[in-house]
Amino acid sequence: MPPPNVKRLVLTAAVVSITITGTLYGAGLKTNQEIAETAKQRQESTFDEQIKALRGMRSNLTARRGILENQIRDLDAKMLEKQQKGIGGDDQNKPNGGR
């Protein structure tokens, strides 16, 4: 007969594995239900509601595009500035005065 500590360890591991499995299974079921509900709502929505939703998505994407374009422009300016500093021979940043 195994000692009580081994039994307790096996029982604990079994309970933990059952709990984790149940949690994952329940989360999967909920996700599938939410997907089905979203699809059903999309099918039942009127044409005007769909247009409104698409316009909202479009304005969101347009705003993101503007932000990304600004970030790219800033990054290009920084890269150009670094190149010009490197070509210009900025000796102060180099050890021994650039020698």
Side-chain angles (χ1 to χ4, degrees):
M1 191 165 185
N5 286 342
V6 174
K7 284 183 179 180
R8 188 177 315 142
L9 181 64
V10 169
L11 182 61
T12 302
V15 169
V16 167
S17 66
I18 290 169
T19 303
I20 290 172
T21 303
T23 302
L24 293 175
Y25 182 72
L29 286 176
K30 184 176 180 181
T31 302
N32 289 340
Q33 286 176 347
E34 289 174 350
I35 291 170
E37 183 178 330
T38 303
K40 184 178 178 183
Q41 286 176 352
R42 191 174 300 148
Q43 288 175 351
E44 291 177 353
S45 64
T46 64
F47 184 71
D48 290 335
E49 291 172 344
Q50 290 177 359
I51 294 293
K52 184 178 177 182
L54 288 173
R55 285 186 177 154
M57 290 170 55
R58 181 180 183 183
S59 66
N60 218 0
L61 289 172
T62 304
R64 285 185 188 175
R65 179 182 178 188
I67 292 170
L68 289 174
E69 286 175 347
N70 288 339
Q71 289 176 343
I72 290 171
R73 193 176 324 113
D74 292 344
L75 183 61
D76 286 341
K78 286 180 184 179
M79 289 174 56
L80 183 62
E81 183 180 321
K82 282 186 179 182
Q83 280 181 342
Q84 289 175 349
K85 281 185 179 180
I87 293 172
D90 190 11
D91 293 340
Q92 293 177 352
N93 292 336
K94 296 180 183 175
N96 298 327
R99 296 178 200 156

